Amino acid sequence: MCIRVKYKDSLFVEQITDSGFIVISFQHLSPKFAKDIILSIVSQINNRIRADDIAQANSAINYLSEQLIETKNTSIREG
């Protein structure tokens, strides 16, 4: 099973639900232009995923830093 999106008869996006892979294609008279469009889309997707991963990592670091401070304060109070 797969999910397909078609945009103005040029951009095709297909997600293969069994594997999770996403297939992107762009049809244009100029193969170079089609390639540039696909590279731009992939770059933007990668940048977005990278930014989300960084935000998630920073959130985890902040949480762990707060837990470390609490653990140190508890040890001092008990000691």
Side-chain angles (χ1 to χ4, degrees), residues 12-61:
F12 300 90
V13 179
E14 178 179 358
Q15 181 180 12
I16 302 170
T17 54
D18 294 342
S19 65
F21 282 103
I22 297 173
V23 179
I24 303 171
S25 64
F26 189 84
Q27 293 181 347
H28 193 268
L29 293 175
S30 166
K32 182 181 179 339
F33 181 78
K35 175 190 159 202
D36 291 344
I37 291 292
I38 294 298
L39 289 177
S40 177
I41 291 169
V42 170
S43 177
Q44 290 177 34
I45 291 169
N46 286 341
N47 288 340
R48 177 59 190 258
I49 291 171
R50 185 178 301 111
D52 290 348
D53 287 347
I54 290 170
Q56 186 178 11
N58 285 334
S59 177
I61 290 169

